[in-house]
Amino acid sequence: MSAFRDGSSSGPIGRVSGPIGRRHPRRAELVLCVAAIALVVIAALGMSSAAGGEAAGSLHWALVVFAGLVLLAHLAVRRLAPLADPVLLPCVTLLNGLGLVLIDRLDRAEAATAAALGKAAPSADAPHQLIWTTGGLVLFTLVLAVVRHHGQPARYAYTCGLAGLVLLLIPSVLPSRFSEVNGGKSWIMFSGFSIQPGEFAKVLLLIFVAGYLVDNRDLFGTAGRSVLGFTVPRLRDLGPLLLVTFVSVLVLVYEKNLGFSLLVFGTVLAMVYIATRRASWLLIGIAMFAVGAIIAYNLFGHVRVRVRVWQDPFDTYYTNGYQIAQALFGLGTGGLSGTGLGAGRPQEVPFAKTDFIISTIGEELGLIGLTAVLLLFTILTLRGFTAALATRDAFGKLLAGGLAFSLGWQLFVVVGGVTKLIPLTGLTTPFMSYGGSSLLANYIIVGLLMRVSHDARTAATPAAPPPAAPIAEAMTEHIRQGGQPRRDH
């Protein structure tokens, strides 16, 4: 049976027990946001104390600004999506706030290293991250204000798909001086301004895939032949999946962006499975990506370098394997409880603020702190899936399911690369790593999940009973002794 349900479904999906209006989800959200901010402040104070209290004033002011931004976002949700999930924003608040503290901690470490070498301190990144956080919360609010119903993007699904492909391919056609950073062509850079269009292309492509699957639900749900117990789709039905595979491999080859290839293709494959519940799509998709990866490995040197570093980073410790080796050393140093915020040496890992902020968490907060962060992401992802299950239309289910899966899948790819489970990909940890494009795009994702959640709970809210008629207008009944009752109005 297909996973699609239309708006007329009478099943249990989408129903919420009890009168939602009496639960005051915004009160719970406010309490959780305040608790998240308090934890961020405690982490900042502990880090400042370990660092000797130097430059603590700027961080404290940044936290005041951050707390104000979060409270404004809460008020926006209270006004624009009052029934939305009360857990999403607090989770994002805690992750983003901890990211700000860790980036400030690495700024201080870099400044101390530069001072010891007699060099000028590099510019701090924490203030820039706070600016990007402001922009992200503005976009979050705009999504709630502009997208008044989660079904609106479905009208522009094909336009979103075309725009996503254009954004994704722009860096590959630009000269290297305008698009290449650290060997990867995934940027647009002009006059000191830089942005990764792939982060926004990801959201647009997921909207397109959700719209396409809804429009072709019968084709994906019934067409195909049965082979060895699996329904194998017709070749012409594989067109969208083939296109996504081709674009993913193209990005991998020309832009050297393995992470985006894994992220987009894995999310699209999950959405196809959600829509059809057919394991054949998963097997075919995995086989297609495996064939493309093998071809890329044999044709392109940078792919072989990534794989060899993954196999044995210590064999090339002084060259390509240095980064992952240092990250593993840091995780080993942190142990179970960590060295404490400000007491480790995470700055020894190249790009600790971006690709390897997970190793910073593991070193200074230990396995316990890293597990807590992973649980926060797990809660965020599961609440996104809860919104997908609660909504009663197919597009909302696929959109929310795809967006929630993309957050969880991205975290898996990042942590897998840092811990040497899979080859390094270059993806950043959502909400925590330094970087404006990723932060803006992920706030858009959370805004869409909040909209789906609000709409689902609105549809599930029981209708208010009609007001009681005034007693003067109520029907009365007179009883005559030994006779029939007479009704009056």
Side-chain angles (χ1 to χ4, degrees):
M1 182 180 67
S2 172
F4 289 116
R5 292 178 182 266
D6 56 25
S8 61
S9 172
S10 58
I13 294 178
R15 295 188 180 180
V16 179
S17 61
I20 298 177
R22 297 179 186 174
R23 295 186 179 182
H24 302 294
R26 302 283 64 82
R27 288 186 185 177
E29 180 182 83
L30 179 60
V31 172
L32 291 174
C33 282
V34 171
I37 293 171
L39 288 174
V40 172
V41 171
I42 292 172
L45 292 174
M47 186 270 294
S48 297
S49 176
E54 298 177 2
S58 59
L59 176 61
H60 295 165
W61 278 111
L63 292 179
V64 171
V65 173
F66 177 70
L69 291 171
V70 171
L71 293 179
L72 288 176
H74 163 74
L75 292 176
V77 174
R78 184 181 288 269
R79 175 68 178 84
L80 299 171
L83 295 182
D85 192 309
V87 177
L88 293 174
L89 184 59
C91 284
V92 171
T93 297
L94 185 51
L95 292 171
N96 196 352
L98 288 176
L100 284 170
V101 173
L102 292 172
I103 293 170
D104 182 80
R105 183 261 178 279
L106 292 167
D107 285 340
R108 300 183 189 206
E110 291 179 353
T113 302
L117 296 175
K119 299 179 180 180
S123 60
D125 289 324
H128 297 98
Q129 187 74 350
L130 182 61
I131 294 173
W132 287 117
T133 299
T134 304
L137 287 170
V138 169
L139 279 179
F140 169 82
T141 303
L142 285 176
V143 168
L144 293 178
V146 174
V147 183
R148 304 301 299 194
H149 188 272
H150 67 266
Q152 285 179 229
R155 305 173 190 171
Y156 313 100
Y158 291 87
T159 303
C160 289
L162 178 60
L165 287 177
V166 170
L167 285 176
L168 184 59
L169 297 176
I170 284 176
S172 63
V173 300
L174 287 177
S176 295
R177 66 179 183 275
F178 296 124
S179 61
E180 185 172 338
V181 175
N182 298 320
K185 285 174 62 66
S186 57
W187 295 81
I188 298 177
M189 300 180 295
F190 292 101
S191 302
F193 174 80
S194 62
I195 193 169
Q196 278 187 298
E199 294 288 347
F200 304 97
K202 170 184 65 179
V203 180
L204 294 172
L205 289 175
L206 294 186
I207 292 174
F208 159 72
V209 172
Y212 181 86
L213 290 174
V214 170
D215 290 343
N216 298 275
R217 66 180 73 184
D218 295 332
L219 180 150
F220 281 90
T222 59
R225 297 180 180 180
S226 179
V227 178
L228 299 177
F230 292 99
T231 302
V232 180
R234 297 170 297 186
L235 183 61
R236 64 175 179 270
D237 299 339
L238 290 172
L241 198 57
L242 287 171
L243 177 62
V244 173
T245 303
F246 173 75
V247 172
S248 299
V249 174
L250 187 68
V251 170
L252 170 63
V253 170
Y254 289 102
E255 299 185 5
K256 301 180 181 178
N257 194 343
L258 175 62
F260 187 85
S261 301
L262 284 173
L263 178 61
V264 171
F265 187 81
T267 304
V268 170
L269 194 59
M271 293 174 70
V272 173
Y273 178 72
I274 292 172
T276 63
R277 293 183 184 176
R278 292 190 172 182
S280 57
W281 284 102
L282 287 177
L283 296 176
I284 292 171
I286 293 172
M288 289 166 58
F289 190 83
V291 170
I294 292 172
I295 293 174
Y297 176 83
N298 288 282
L299 291 180
F300 304 101
H302 64 271
V303 179
R304 290 193 294 272
V305 169
R306 288 285 183 96
V307 174
R308 289 170 184 169
V309 169
W310 166 59
Q311 291 174 332
D312 188 3
F314 299 100
D315 184 49
T316 56
Y317 176 78
Y318 294 102
T319 54
N320 297 315
Y322 180 79
Q323 186 182 37
I324 182 64
Q326 287 297 110
L328 294 174
F329 286 146
L331 292 173
T333 302
L336 185 63
S337 57
T339 61
L341 275 174
R345 300 183 64 189
Q347 68 274 14
E348 298 295 328
V349 182
F351 305 105
K353 298 177 187 177
T354 53
D355 301 3
F356 277 78
I357 202 166
I358 287 294
S359 68
T360 303
I361 298 171
E363 180 175 351
E364 299 204 334
L365 297 180
L367 180 61
I368 295 175
L370 182 57
T371 301
V373 169
L374 296 182
L375 285 176
L376 276 175
F377 277 107
T378 302
I379 293 171
L380 186 63
T381 303
L382 290 178
R383 301 298 285 205
F385 278 121
T386 300
L389 290 173
T391 189
R392 304 180 68 178
D393 66 283
F395 178 79
K397 288 183 183 298
L398 285 175
L399 180 61
L403 294 174
F405 181 85
S406 69
L407 291 174
W409 178 239
Q410 182 170 346
L411 181 70
F412 170 79
V413 172
V414 170
V415 176
V418 172
T419 58
K420 212 177 81 65
L421 178 65
I422 60 175
L424 288 173
T425 60
L427 287 179
T428 58
T429 306
F431 302 107
M432 301 193 77
S433 294
Y434 174 72
S437 302
S438 175
L439 195 59
L440 295 178
N442 286 318
Y443 267 113
I444 292 174
I445 289 175
V446 175
L448 290 172
L449 288 176
M450 295 282 279
R451 173 53 63 199
V452 174
S453 173
H454 168 78
D455 292 344
R457 295 182 177 210
T458 300
T461 304
I471 191 170
E473 300 178 6
M475 180 183 296
T476 59
E477 185 174 289
H478 298 276
I479 304 297
R480 294 180 180 178
Q481 186 174 5
Q484 297 297 324
R486 179 172 60 86
R487 297 181 183 272
D488 297 325
H489 291 278

